[in-house]
């Protein structure tokens, strides 16, 4: 991710997952921190990130 629009796209997609209460994106590192009321399924998170045009690292 290289810009605010990129971060907004990822934030929007992740925010739509059930239980997500907060999404924080660190543009310089590309790290995303997701806070959720419930455990999140990695596959659902990966699908949301992919929908925004990106991939999970590692």
């Amino acid at each position: 991710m290289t810009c605010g629009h990129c971060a907004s796209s990822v934030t929007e997609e992740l925010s739509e997952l059930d239980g997500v209460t907060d999404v924080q994106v660190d543009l310089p590192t590309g790290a995303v921190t997701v806070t959720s009321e419930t455990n999140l399924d990695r596959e659902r998170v990966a699908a949301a990130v992919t929908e925004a045009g990106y991939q999970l690292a590692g």
Side-chain angles (χ1 to χ4, degrees):
M1 289 180 283
T2 58
C3 68
H5 182 269
C6 302
S8 293
S9 294
V10 171
T11 299
E12 180 179 337
E13 292 297 331
L14 289 170
S15 293
E16 292 179 6
L17 297 175
D18 289 338
V20 171
T21 58
D22 187 49
V23 178
Q24 297 293 319
V25 177
D26 183 345
L27 280 176
T29 65
V32 178
T33 302
V34 180
T35 304
S36 177
E37 296 173 337
T38 60
N39 289 332
L40 293 173
D41 178 69
R42 181 177 173 82
E43 295 298 320
R44 291 183 63 220
V45 171
V49 171
T50 299
E51 182 67 26
Y54 298 92
Q55 297 178 21
L56 291 183

Short mmCIF file of all heavy atoms in Angstrom, two decimals:
data_model
loop_
_atom_site.label_atom_id
_atom_site.label_comp_id
_atom_site.label_asym_id
_atom_site.label_seq_id
_atom_site.Cartn_x
_atom_site.Cartn_y
_atom_site.Cartn_z
N MET A 1 0.84 -1.17 0.00
CA MET A 1 0.00 0.00 0.00
C MET A 1 0.89 1.23 0.00
O MET A 1 1.87 1.28 0.72
CB MET A 1 -0.88 -0.01 1.24
CG MET A 1 -1.95 -1.05 1.22
SD MET A 1 -2.97 -1.01 2.69
CE MET A 1 -1.86 -1.80 3.84
N THR A 2 0.48 2.17 -0.80
CA THR A 2 1.33 3.35 -0.94
C THR A 2 0.61 4.68 -0.70
O THR A 2 1.25 5.72 -0.76
CB THR A 2 1.96 3.39 -2.34
OG1 THR A 2 0.91 3.40 -3.31
CG2 THR A 2 2.87 2.18 -2.57
N CYS A 3 -0.71 4.63 -0.46
CA CYS A 3 -1.42 5.90 -0.31
C CYS A 3 -2.63 5.73 0.60
O CYS A 3 -3.03 4.62 0.95
CB CYS A 3 -1.87 6.43 -1.66
SG CYS A 3 -3.15 5.43 -2.45
N GLY A 4 -3.24 6.85 0.95
CA GLY A 4 -4.41 6.85 1.80
C GLY A 4 -5.59 6.12 1.18
O GLY A 4 -6.36 5.46 1.87
N HIS A 5 -5.73 6.22 -0.14
CA HIS A 5 -6.82 5.51 -0.81
C HIS A 5 -6.64 4.01 -0.67
O HIS A 5 -7.62 3.27 -0.46
CB HIS A 5 -6.89 5.89 -2.29
CG HIS A 5 -8.02 5.23 -3.00
ND1 HIS A 5 -7.87 4.01 -3.63
CD2 HIS A 5 -9.31 5.59 -3.16
CE1 HIS A 5 -9.04 3.65 -4.14
NE2 HIS A 5 -9.92 4.60 -3.88
N CYS A 6 -5.41 3.54 -0.78
CA CYS A 6 -5.11 2.11 -0.61
C CYS A 6 -5.52 1.67 0.80
O CYS A 6 -6.18 0.65 0.97
CB CYS A 6 -3.62 1.85 -0.79
SG CYS A 6 -2.95 2.34 -2.38
N ALA A 7 -5.13 2.44 1.78
CA ALA A 7 -5.46 2.12 3.17
C ALA A 7 -6.97 2.12 3.38
O ALA A 7 -7.51 1.25 4.07
CB ALA A 7 -4.78 3.11 4.11
N SER A 8 -7.65 3.06 2.77
CA SER A 8 -9.11 3.13 2.89
C SER A 8 -9.78 1.91 2.29
O SER A 8 -10.75 1.39 2.85
CB SER A 8 -9.65 4.39 2.22
OG SER A 8 -9.25 5.53 2.91
N SER A 9 -9.28 1.44 1.17
CA SER A 9 -9.85 0.26 0.52
C SER A 9 -9.72 -0.97 1.40
O SER A 9 -10.67 -1.73 1.58
CB SER A 9 -9.15 0.00 -0.82
OG SER A 9 -9.40 1.04 -1.72
N VAL A 10 -8.54 -1.17 1.97
CA VAL A 10 -8.31 -2.31 2.85
C VAL A 10 -9.16 -2.17 4.12
O VAL A 10 -9.80 -3.14 4.56
CB VAL A 10 -6.81 -2.44 3.20
CG1 VAL A 10 -6.58 -3.47 4.29
CG2 VAL A 10 -6.01 -2.79 1.96
N THR A 11 -9.19 -0.98 4.69
CA THR A 11 -9.98 -0.74 5.89
C THR A 11 -11.45 -1.02 5.65
O THR A 11 -12.12 -1.68 6.46
CB THR A 11 -9.79 0.71 6.38
OG1 THR A 11 -8.42 0.91 6.69
CG2 THR A 11 -10.64 1.01 7.60
N GLU A 12 -11.97 -0.56 4.52
CA GLU A 12 -13.38 -0.77 4.20
C GLU A 12 -13.72 -2.25 4.09
O GLU A 12 -14.71 -2.71 4.66
CB GLU A 12 -13.71 -0.06 2.89
CG GLU A 12 -15.16 -0.22 2.47
CD GLU A 12 -15.47 0.52 1.18
OE1 GLU A 12 -14.76 1.46 0.83
OE2 GLU A 12 -16.43 0.10 0.52
N GLU A 13 -12.90 -3.00 3.37
CA GLU A 13 -13.17 -4.43 3.20
C GLU A 13 -13.08 -5.18 4.52
O GLU A 13 -13.93 -6.02 4.83
CB GLU A 13 -12.21 -5.04 2.17
CG GLU A 13 -12.42 -4.56 0.76
CD GLU A 13 -13.78 -4.91 0.19
OE1 GLU A 13 -14.38 -5.94 0.58
OE2 GLU A 13 -14.26 -4.16 -0.68
N LEU A 14 -12.06 -4.90 5.32
CA LEU A 14 -11.91 -5.61 6.59
C LEU A 14 -12.99 -5.22 7.58
O LEU A 14 -13.44 -6.05 8.37
CB LEU A 14 -10.53 -5.34 7.18
CG LEU A 14 -9.37 -6.02 6.45
CD1 LEU A 14 -8.03 -5.49 6.96
CD2 LEU A 14 -9.45 -7.53 6.58
N SER A 15 -13.43 -3.99 7.53
CA SER A 15 -14.47 -3.51 8.45
C SER A 15 -15.81 -4.21 8.23
O SER A 15 -16.65 -4.25 9.12
CB SER A 15 -14.66 -2.00 8.32
OG SER A 15 -13.51 -1.33 8.76
N GLU A 16 -16.00 -4.78 7.05
CA GLU A 16 -17.24 -5.48 6.74
C GLU A 16 -17.31 -6.87 7.34
O GLU A 16 -18.38 -7.49 7.36
CB GLU A 16 -17.43 -5.55 5.23
CG GLU A 16 -17.71 -4.19 4.61
CD GLU A 16 -17.87 -4.24 3.11
OE1 GLU A 16 -17.88 -5.35 2.53
OE2 GLU A 16 -17.99 -3.16 2.51
N LEU A 17 -16.19 -7.39 7.85
CA LEU A 17 -16.19 -8.71 8.47
C LEU A 17 -16.93 -8.66 9.80
O LEU A 17 -16.78 -7.70 10.57
CB LEU A 17 -14.76 -9.22 8.69
CG LEU A 17 -13.92 -9.44 7.43
CD1 LEU A 17 -12.50 -9.82 7.82
CD2 LEU A 17 -14.55 -10.51 6.55
N ASP A 18 -17.73 -9.69 10.07
CA ASP A 18 -18.47 -9.76 11.33
C ASP A 18 -17.55 -9.67 12.53
O ASP A 18 -16.53 -10.36 12.58
CB ASP A 18 -19.26 -11.07 11.41
CG ASP A 18 -20.43 -11.11 10.44
OD1 ASP A 18 -20.89 -10.04 10.01
OD2 ASP A 18 -20.87 -12.23 10.12
N GLY A 19 -17.89 -8.80 13.47
CA GLY A 19 -17.15 -8.68 14.71
C GLY A 19 -16.03 -7.66 14.71
O GLY A 19 -15.52 -7.30 15.76
N VAL A 20 -15.62 -7.18 13.53
CA VAL A 20 -14.51 -6.22 13.46
C VAL A 20 -14.95 -4.89 14.04
O VAL A 20 -15.98 -4.34 13.65
CB VAL A 20 -13.99 -6.07 12.02
CG1 VAL A 20 -12.99 -4.91 11.92
CG2 VAL A 20 -13.35 -7.36 11.55
N THR A 21 -14.16 -4.38 14.99
CA THR A 21 -14.48 -3.11 15.63
C THR A 21 -13.50 -2.00 15.28
O THR A 21 -13.81 -0.83 15.48
CB THR A 21 -14.51 -3.28 17.17
OG1 THR A 21 -13.23 -3.76 17.60
CG2 THR A 21 -15.61 -4.24 17.60
N ASP A 22 -12.32 -2.37 14.75
CA ASP A 22 -11.33 -1.35 14.42
C ASP A 22 -10.32 -1.93 13.43
O ASP A 22 -9.97 -3.11 13.51
CB ASP A 22 -10.60 -0.87 15.68
CG ASP A 22 -9.69 0.31 15.40
OD1 ASP A 22 -10.14 1.28 14.77
OD2 ASP A 22 -8.51 0.26 15.81
N VAL A 23 -9.87 -1.09 12.50
CA VAL A 23 -8.81 -1.46 11.56
C VAL A 23 -7.83 -0.30 11.50
O VAL A 23 -8.23 0.84 11.26
CB VAL A 23 -9.38 -1.74 10.14
CG1 VAL A 23 -8.25 -2.08 9.18
CG2 VAL A 23 -10.42 -2.84 10.18
N GLN A 24 -6.56 -0.60 11.74
CA GLN A 24 -5.51 0.41 11.67
C GLN A 24 -4.49 -0.01 10.61
O GLN A 24 -4.01 -1.14 10.64
CB GLN A 24 -4.80 0.55 13.03
CG GLN A 24 -5.69 1.04 14.14
CD GLN A 24 -6.15 2.46 13.92
OE1 GLN A 24 -5.39 3.32 13.49
NE2 GLN A 24 -7.43 2.70 14.20
N VAL A 25 -4.17 0.90 9.69
CA VAL A 25 -3.22 0.62 8.63
C VAL A 25 -1.99 1.51 8.83
O VAL A 25 -2.11 2.72 9.02
CB VAL A 25 -3.84 0.89 7.24
CG1 VAL A 25 -2.81 0.68 6.15
CG2 VAL A 25 -5.06 0.02 7.02
N ASP A 26 -0.81 0.89 8.78
CA ASP A 26 0.46 1.62 8.86
C ASP A 26 1.04 1.64 7.44
O ASP A 26 1.59 0.64 6.98
CB ASP A 26 1.41 0.93 9.83
CG ASP A 26 2.72 1.67 10.01
OD1 ASP A 26 3.04 2.55 9.20
OD2 ASP A 26 3.43 1.35 10.98
N LEU A 27 0.87 2.76 6.74
CA LEU A 27 1.33 2.85 5.35
C LEU A 27 2.82 2.57 5.17
O LEU A 27 3.19 1.85 4.25
CB LEU A 27 0.96 4.20 4.75
CG LEU A 27 -0.48 4.34 4.29
CD1 LEU A 27 -0.74 5.74 3.79
CD2 LEU A 27 -0.81 3.33 3.21
N PRO A 28 3.71 3.13 6.00
CA PRO A 28 5.14 2.90 5.76
C PRO A 28 5.54 1.42 5.79
O PRO A 28 6.39 1.00 5.03
CB PRO A 28 5.83 3.68 6.88
CG PRO A 28 4.85 4.74 7.25
CD PRO A 28 3.50 4.11 7.08
N THR A 29 4.89 0.63 6.65
CA THR A 29 5.25 -0.78 6.76
C THR A 29 4.29 -1.70 6.02
O THR A 29 4.60 -2.86 5.77
CB THR A 29 5.28 -1.23 8.23
OG1 THR A 29 3.96 -1.15 8.77
CG2 THR A 29 6.24 -0.39 9.04
N GLY A 30 3.09 -1.20 5.71
CA GLY A 30 2.08 -2.03 5.09
C GLY A 30 1.36 -2.94 6.07
O GLY A 30 0.56 -3.78 5.68
N ALA A 31 1.64 -2.76 7.35
CA ALA A 31 1.02 -3.59 8.39
C ALA A 31 -0.41 -3.14 8.65
O ALA A 31 -0.72 -1.95 8.61
CB ALA A 31 1.83 -3.52 9.68
N VAL A 32 -1.27 -4.11 8.91
CA VAL A 32 -2.66 -3.84 9.24
C VAL A 32 -2.98 -4.54 10.55
O VAL A 32 -2.69 -5.72 10.72
CB VAL A 32 -3.61 -4.36 8.14
CG1 VAL A 32 -5.05 -4.10 8.52
CG2 VAL A 32 -3.29 -3.72 6.80
N THR A 33 -3.57 -3.80 11.48
CA THR A 33 -3.99 -4.36 12.76
C THR A 33 -5.51 -4.33 12.80
O THR A 33 -6.13 -3.29 12.60
CB THR A 33 -3.42 -3.54 13.94
OG1 THR A 33 -1.99 -3.51 13.83
CG2 THR A 33 -3.83 -4.14 15.27
N VAL A 34 -6.10 -5.51 13.03
CA VAL A 34 -7.55 -5.63 13.07
C VAL A 34 -7.96 -6.01 14.48
O VAL A 34 -7.43 -6.97 15.06
CB VAL A 34 -8.04 -6.71 12.08
CG1 VAL A 34 -9.56 -6.84 12.14
CG2 VAL A 34 -7.58 -6.39 10.66
N THR A 35 -8.91 -5.28 15.04
CA THR A 35 -9.47 -5.58 16.35
C THR A 35 -10.88 -6.12 16.12
O THR A 35 -11.65 -5.55 15.37
CB THR A 35 -9.54 -4.32 17.23
OG1 THR A 35 -8.22 -3.75 17.31
CG2 THR A 35 -10.05 -4.64 18.61
N SER A 36 -11.16 -7.25 16.78
CA SER A 36 -12.45 -7.90 16.58
C SER A 36 -12.99 -8.42 17.90
O SER A 36 -12.23 -8.81 18.78
CB SER A 36 -12.28 -9.06 15.59
OG SER A 36 -13.49 -9.76 15.44
N GLU A 37 -14.31 -8.44 17.98
CA GLU A 37 -14.98 -8.98 19.17
C GLU A 37 -14.90 -10.51 19.20
O GLU A 37 -15.13 -11.12 20.24
CB GLU A 37 -16.44 -8.55 19.18
CG GLU A 37 -16.62 -7.06 19.31
CD GLU A 37 -18.06 -6.63 19.14
OE1 GLU A 37 -18.86 -7.37 18.51
OE2 GLU A 37 -18.39 -5.54 19.64
N THR A 38 -14.63 -11.12 18.07
CA THR A 38 -14.55 -12.58 17.96
C THR A 38 -13.29 -12.96 17.20
O THR A 38 -12.65 -12.12 16.56
CB THR A 38 -15.77 -13.13 17.19
OG1 THR A 38 -15.79 -12.56 15.89
CG2 THR A 38 -17.07 -12.80 17.91
N ASN A 39 -12.94 -14.24 17.25
CA ASN A 39 -11.81 -14.72 16.47
C ASN A 39 -12.14 -14.60 14.99
O ASN A 39 -13.27 -14.87 14.58
CB ASN A 39 -11.50 -16.18 16.80
CG ASN A 39 -10.91 -16.33 18.18
OD1 ASN A 39 -10.27 -15.43 18.69
ND2 ASN A 39 -11.12 -17.48 18.77
N LEU A 40 -11.16 -14.19 14.22
CA LEU A 40 -11.36 -14.05 12.77
C LEU A 40 -10.74 -15.23 12.04
O LEU A 40 -9.65 -15.68 12.39
CB LEU A 40 -10.72 -12.75 12.27
CG LEU A 40 -11.36 -11.46 12.75
CD1 LEU A 40 -10.53 -10.26 12.31
CD2 LEU A 40 -12.78 -11.35 12.22
N ASP A 41 -11.43 -15.70 11.03
CA ASP A 41 -10.94 -16.77 10.18
C ASP A 41 -9.93 -16.19 9.20
O ASP A 41 -10.23 -15.22 8.50
CB ASP A 41 -12.12 -17.40 9.44
CG ASP A 41 -11.69 -18.48 8.50
OD1 ASP A 41 -11.26 -19.55 8.99
OD2 ASP A 41 -11.78 -18.27 7.27
N ARG A 42 -8.73 -16.77 9.16
CA ARG A 42 -7.67 -16.25 8.28
C ARG A 42 -8.12 -16.20 6.83
O ARG A 42 -7.78 -15.27 6.10
CB ARG A 42 -6.41 -17.09 8.43
CG ARG A 42 -5.26 -16.59 7.56
CD ARG A 42 -3.99 -17.39 7.77
NE ARG A 42 -2.97 -17.02 6.82
CZ ARG A 42 -2.15 -15.99 6.94
NH1 ARG A 42 -2.26 -15.19 7.97
NH2 ARG A 42 -1.24 -15.74 6.02
N GLU A 43 -8.88 -17.20 6.39
CA GLU A 43 -9.34 -17.23 5.00
C GLU A 43 -10.27 -16.05 4.69
O GLU A 43 -10.21 -15.48 3.61
CB GLU A 43 -10.05 -18.55 4.70
CG GLU A 43 -9.13 -19.76 4.77
CD GLU A 43 -8.01 -19.69 3.75
OE1 GLU A 43 -8.25 -19.26 2.61
OE2 GLU A 43 -6.87 -20.06 4.11
N ARG A 44 -11.12 -15.71 5.63
CA ARG A 44 -12.03 -14.57 5.42
C ARG A 44 -11.26 -13.26 5.40
O ARG A 44 -11.57 -12.36 4.61
CB ARG A 44 -13.12 -14.56 6.49
CG ARG A 44 -14.08 -15.73 6.33
CD ARG A 44 -15.21 -15.71 7.33
NE ARG A 44 -16.02 -14.53 7.12
CZ ARG A 44 -16.52 -13.80 8.11
NH1 ARG A 44 -16.32 -14.13 9.36
NH2 ARG A 44 -17.25 -12.73 7.86
N VAL A 45 -10.25 -13.14 6.26
CA VAL A 45 -9.41 -11.94 6.28
C VAL A 45 -8.66 -11.84 4.96
O VAL A 45 -8.62 -10.78 4.32
CB VAL A 45 -8.45 -11.94 7.48
CG1 VAL A 45 -7.44 -10.81 7.37
CG2 VAL A 45 -9.22 -11.86 8.79
N ALA A 46 -8.07 -12.95 4.53
CA ALA A 46 -7.33 -12.96 3.27
C ALA A 46 -8.24 -12.59 2.10
O ALA A 46 -7.84 -11.83 1.21
CB ALA A 46 -6.70 -14.33 3.04
N ALA A 47 -9.47 -13.10 2.10
CA ALA A 47 -10.42 -12.78 1.02
C ALA A 47 -10.75 -11.29 1.00
O ALA A 47 -10.84 -10.68 -0.07
CB ALA A 47 -11.69 -13.61 1.17
N ALA A 48 -10.91 -10.68 2.17
CA ALA A 48 -11.21 -9.25 2.25
C ALA A 48 -10.03 -8.42 1.74
O ALA A 48 -10.22 -7.46 0.99
CB ALA A 48 -11.55 -8.86 3.69
N VAL A 49 -8.83 -8.82 2.11
CA VAL A 49 -7.62 -8.10 1.66
C VAL A 49 -7.48 -8.26 0.14
O VAL A 49 -7.17 -7.29 -0.56
CB VAL A 49 -6.38 -8.60 2.42
CG1 VAL A 49 -5.10 -8.04 1.82
CG2 VAL A 49 -6.48 -8.23 3.90
N THR A 50 -7.73 -9.46 -0.36
CA THR A 50 -7.66 -9.70 -1.79
C THR A 50 -8.70 -8.87 -2.54
O THR A 50 -8.41 -8.31 -3.60
CB THR A 50 -7.87 -11.20 -2.09
OG1 THR A 50 -6.82 -11.94 -1.45
CG2 THR A 50 -7.84 -11.48 -3.59
N GLU A 51 -9.89 -8.76 -1.98
CA GLU A 51 -10.95 -7.95 -2.60
C GLU A 51 -10.52 -6.50 -2.74
O GLU A 51 -10.90 -5.80 -3.69
CB GLU A 51 -12.23 -8.05 -1.76
CG GLU A 51 -13.41 -7.31 -2.33
CD GLU A 51 -13.94 -7.89 -3.63
OE1 GLU A 51 -13.77 -9.09 -3.88
OE2 GLU A 51 -14.51 -7.10 -4.41
N ALA A 52 -9.69 -6.03 -1.79
CA ALA A 52 -9.18 -4.66 -1.84
C ALA A 52 -8.00 -4.52 -2.81
O ALA A 52 -7.52 -3.42 -3.06
CB ALA A 52 -8.76 -4.21 -0.44
N GLY A 53 -7.52 -5.67 -3.34
CA GLY A 53 -6.44 -5.62 -4.32
C GLY A 53 -5.07 -5.92 -3.76
O GLY A 53 -4.06 -5.63 -4.41
N TYR A 54 -5.01 -6.53 -2.58
CA TYR A 54 -3.73 -6.82 -1.93
C TYR A 54 -3.69 -8.27 -1.48
O TYR A 54 -4.65 -9.01 -1.64
CB TYR A 54 -3.52 -5.86 -0.75
CG TYR A 54 -3.46 -4.45 -1.21
CD1 TYR A 54 -4.60 -3.66 -1.26
CD2 TYR A 54 -2.27 -3.90 -1.66
CE1 TYR A 54 -4.56 -2.37 -1.73
CE2 TYR A 54 -2.22 -2.60 -2.14
CZ TYR A 54 -3.37 -1.84 -2.17
OH TYR A 54 -3.33 -0.57 -2.66
N GLN A 55 -2.55 -8.68 -0.92
CA GLN A 55 -2.37 -10.03 -0.41
C GLN A 55 -1.81 -9.98 0.99
O GLN A 55 -1.06 -9.05 1.34
CB GLN A 55 -1.39 -10.81 -1.28
CG GLN A 55 -1.84 -11.02 -2.69
CD GLN A 55 -0.78 -11.76 -3.49
OE1 GLN A 55 0.09 -12.42 -2.95
NE2 GLN A 55 -0.83 -11.61 -4.80
N LEU A 56 -2.16 -10.98 1.79
CA LEU A 56 -1.55 -11.09 3.12
C LEU A 56 -0.10 -11.55 2.95
O LEU A 56 0.19 -12.39 2.09
CB LEU A 56 -2.28 -12.13 3.97
CG LEU A 56 -3.69 -11.79 4.44
CD1 LEU A 56 -4.21 -12.91 5.33
CD2 LEU A 56 -3.71 -10.47 5.18
N ALA A 57 0.78 -11.02 3.76
CA ALA A 57 2.17 -11.46 3.77
C ALA A 57 2.30 -12.59 4.79
O ALA A 57 1.69 -12.56 5.86
CB ALA A 57 3.10 -10.31 4.15
N GLY A 58 3.09 -13.58 4.42
CA GLY A 58 3.40 -14.68 5.35
C GLY A 58 2.26 -15.36 5.84
O GLY A 58 1.62 -15.83 6.51
#
